[in-house]
Amino acid sequence: MVHQHGDEHIIPQEQRIHKHGAWLPADHRVQHEWLKTQIEHVDRNPQKELIPVLQDFKQLIEGNSRIYMYFNQMWEEIPLKKPYYKDPTGTKKQIRDYRHMLSVLNHIFTQAPQWTDAAFGVGMVGVPMVGIFDYVMATPSGHAAFLDPEVNKMMKKILNEWGKFLKSPKSAEVLASHKQGWFSEHGTKDLMEVANAPLKTSHRFEDMYVCDPSAKHYGFTSWDDFFTRQLRENVRPVASPENDDVIANACESKVYNIARNAKLRDRFWIKSQPYSVLDMLGQDPLAAQFDGATVYQAFLSALSYHRWHAPVSGRIVRAFVKDGTYFSEPLFEGPAGGYVDGERSQGSSRAGGSGSFGGGDIDTRGISVAQGYLTALATRAVIFIQADNPAIGLMAFVGVGMDEVSTCEITVSVGQHVLKGEQLGMFHFGGSSHCLLFRAGVPVDGFPTPGRQENVPVRSQVAVIKRK
């Protein structure tokens, strides 16, 4: 089964990167090839004027001494050794400095994510901005920059602008059957292998999703319209709709972690990434009820369905989007070392000249291994539900955005009663992961085991209440 793009061809071990959710290719060479193509286009063509929002970004960088330092140093801090400093042909560093970064972003903002057909395989970069920031996010200066409130305010502005393009008819051009298209042989094959695997079905795309295969772009009006596509009736039945002891899976997703007795406040930035419930729930007053909670977390694939559904029947008590970071990842993944299980790592001394850190390498798996950390810092949707089942009572759903796929739309309102399996909202332009939180004392069990290869189907059984 294809869990990440390119898994069906032979990937050299040094180029095989595990990325939760397949937002970047399993074969790191595909990501490099994609970025190389963008850079070559920019370098070959006359310098285009930056779009207005990127002009604002440039002004922020150059008009603030602190941010100017961050965006200069982050590129210098990338280690000057494999695999960071050369593209697959061994010719040059990928992105050279913040001015080059802005030029490449300027080009990327004219296209939606598409497939890359390289000599060694085919893959898809689902988060193009992460393709650019992949290494610098883990440098000391990148870590500081992407935690900076002013930088995050600008990132939100930039992503909103790109979001306008991804909702435009022009963005639908990648929804075609050419080699870079989502309905190409490779694209359709991967999409449907991921969709069919959980229930071992053999649906075609048009059998699984609401669309019109006879229409241009299958009837989708934009990239975002495709990404938020709806399932056809009955392809994902609701688990035991009459039994409130059965909890339904809120998202089509792959199990990441199950934690018991999560603390109300904890050190989420250390390598073990313990859940910090108060931070996860946006410091809402209701969070105090979740001290010692059971937390179930699963992540979404770039190829999957991106709408959220109610895990239980009940009343919506609170529903809000908590703004957060967009490209922050913990320091333990970078050459600065950071915190490992609460202790400061000895890895920040510089050695070997400019751009080389003696203390450690950048974790090339990137932000994908920071799923727990993201629950406390990333932009996220928080929905509290008072379950009809008194054995559950108040529970919470958290939809966690990642990188440029941080737009969370809640489609329910406070006071509304929802039935198990009904829609709660959706990620736009993709998604990252989600969590279900149950209060201490709730006898919830039977979660799927982390490590299973296929997604857990949305609306299927994800847990049960154990009656004595």
Side-chain angles (χ1 to χ4, degrees):
M1 175 188 170
V2 176
H3 304 292
Q4 298 183 37
H5 324 295
D7 272 7
E8 71 276 12
H9 70 266
I10 297 172
I11 306 173
Q13 191 58 41
E14 67 273 14
Q15 299 291 349
R16 178 176 286 277
I17 308 295
H18 179 65
K19 302 277 189 177
H20 290 307
W23 291 98
L24 292 173
D27 191 336
H28 217 212
R29 294 173 300 175
V30 175
Q31 180 183 339
H32 278 274
E33 183 69 17
W34 171 84
L35 187 53
K36 174 174 173 281
T37 301
Q38 313 309 313
I39 290 171
E40 286 180 345
H41 177 90
V42 169
D43 291 349
R44 280 198 313 262
N45 291 280
Q47 182 71 33
K48 288 184 178 180
E49 184 179 3
L50 295 177
I51 62 175
V53 72
L54 292 180
Q55 291 180 24
D56 292 345
F57 191 17
K58 183 173 185 288
Q59 185 176 346
L60 174 68
I61 293 171
E62 296 178 347
N64 183 304
S65 301
R66 178 187 72 257
I67 295 172
Y68 181 71
M69 175 181 69
Y70 292 156
F71 276 86
N72 273 281
Q73 286 190 162
M74 66 172 65
W75 302 102
E76 297 168 1
E77 289 168 356
I78 299 173
L80 293 178
K81 58 183 180 180
K82 290 182 179 180
Y84 316 111
Y85 71 109
K86 290 181 180 179
D87 64 23
T89 62
T91 54
K92 60 187 177 185
K93 288 175 70 174
Q94 295 277 332
I95 298 281
R96 298 188 282 277
D97 52 42
Y98 80 83
R99 296 176 187 84
H100 198 211
M101 170 197 80
L102 290 168
S103 295
V104 175
L105 285 173
N106 203 47
H107 172 55
I108 285 172
F109 275 24
T110 65
Q111 56 188 322
Q114 55 188 311
W115 292 77
T116 297
D117 189 0
F120 35 77
V122 178
M124 185 276 297
V125 176
V127 279
M129 289 180 71
V130 177
I132 293 174
F133 296 143
D134 197 23
Y135 294 148
V136 294
M137 287 190 294
T139 66
S141 294
H143 177 76
F146 293 120
L147 280 175
D148 191 287
E150 290 188 66
V151 172
N152 278 296
K153 184 178 179 181
M154 178 57 66
M155 285 295 150
K156 182 176 181 179
K157 185 177 178 181
I158 290 168
L159 295 173
N160 285 342
E161 195 63 31
W162 194 46
K164 291 178 185 176
F165 171 76
L166 295 179
K167 288 187 174 184
S168 72
K170 184 171 175 56
S171 69
E173 291 176 0
V174 298
L175 305 176
S177 57
H178 55 71
K179 285 187 176 181
Q180 287 75 43
W182 278 82
F183 292 111
S184 65
E185 178 184 352
H186 296 284
T188 303
K189 176 177 177 290
D190 276 17
L191 279 167
M192 296 320 299
E193 282 195 16
V194 169
N196 281 314
L199 297 179
K200 296 180 172 54
T201 51
S202 56
H203 294 309
R204 297 173 300 172
F205 184 89
E206 55 267 34
D207 300 327
M208 178 74 71
Y209 299 107
V210 177
C211 65
D212 180 1
S214 66
K216 187 177 183 181
H217 308 314
Y218 275 61
F220 296 111
T221 58
S222 67
W223 159 260
D224 184 56
D225 189 32
F226 166 74
F227 234 65
T228 58
R229 59 193 177 271
Q230 297 185 61
L231 291 166
R232 291 202 182 274
E233 198 65 34
N234 300 322
V235 298
R236 291 293 187 260
V238 178
S240 304
E242 304 303 321
N243 185 352
D244 284 347
D245 282 347
V246 174
I247 296 157
N249 190 28
C251 297
E252 185 96 356
S253 51
K254 189 172 178 180
V255 189
Y256 176 73
N257 192 28
I258 301 158
R260 304 280 184 177
N261 302 312
K263 294 180 182 179
L264 191 61
R265 209 76 193 271
D266 213 334
R267 297 163 67 85
F268 58 83
W269 55 89
I270 67 176
K271 193 164 188 176
S272 57
Q273 299 176 70
Y275 293 113
S276 182
V277 170
L278 185 63
D279 297 291
M280 293 173 73
L281 298 177
Q283 303 197 19
D284 189 271
L286 292 175
Q289 298 187 40
F290 289 83
D291 190 9
T294 295
V295 180
Y296 170 80
Q297 185 177 7
F299 57 90
L300 285 75
S301 165
L303 301 174
S304 295
Y305 173 74
H306 298 284
R307 295 177 181 244
W308 327 320
H309 293 260
V312 297
S313 294
R315 178 175 55 87
I316 306 299
V317 177
R318 291 273 285 135
F320 60 92
V321 174
K322 175 72 173 178
D323 282 342
T325 61
Y326 294 93
F327 295 95
S328 176
E329 65 178 46
L331 270 179
F332 64 73
E333 293 182 14
Y339 289 86
V340 178
D341 296 331
E343 299 298 325
R344 189 72 171 90
S345 171
Q346 300 300 312
S348 57
S349 61
R350 193 179 274 235
S354 175
S356 177
F357 282 77
D361 292 337
I362 292 171
D363 190 331
T364 51
R365 295 172 298 171
I367 206 164
S368 64
V369 292
Q371 297 282 317
Y373 172 87
L374 289 174
T375 65
L377 283 180
T379 296
R380 55 206 180 276
V382 180
I383 302 174
F384 291 96
I385 305 173
Q386 183 69 37
D388 291 344
N389 186 344
I392 299 172
L394 187 68
M395 59 87 60
F397 166 87
V398 181
V400 185
M402 179 183 76
D403 313 319
E404 56 253 56
V405 290
S406 293
T407 301
C408 303
E409 181 188 1
I410 297 171
T411 58
V412 291
S413 55
V414 172
Q416 178 179 341
H417 187 273
V418 294
L419 294 176
K420 180 169 59 177
E422 288 186 345
Q423 182 176 295
L424 295 177
M426 70 194 81
F427 291 114
H428 285 271
F429 327 128
S432 174
S433 69
H434 79 286
C435 298
L436 301 180
L437 287 85
F438 300 89
R439 294 173 305 154
V442 174
V444 60
D445 209 349
F447 292 104
T449 306
R452 62 177 278 166
Q453 292 303 304
E454 66 277 356
N455 285 333
V456 179
V458 67
R459 309 205 302 179
S460 68
Q461 178 176 312
V462 74
V464 295
I465 297 300
K466 295 289 189 181
R467 297 283 181 174
K468 291 184 179 179

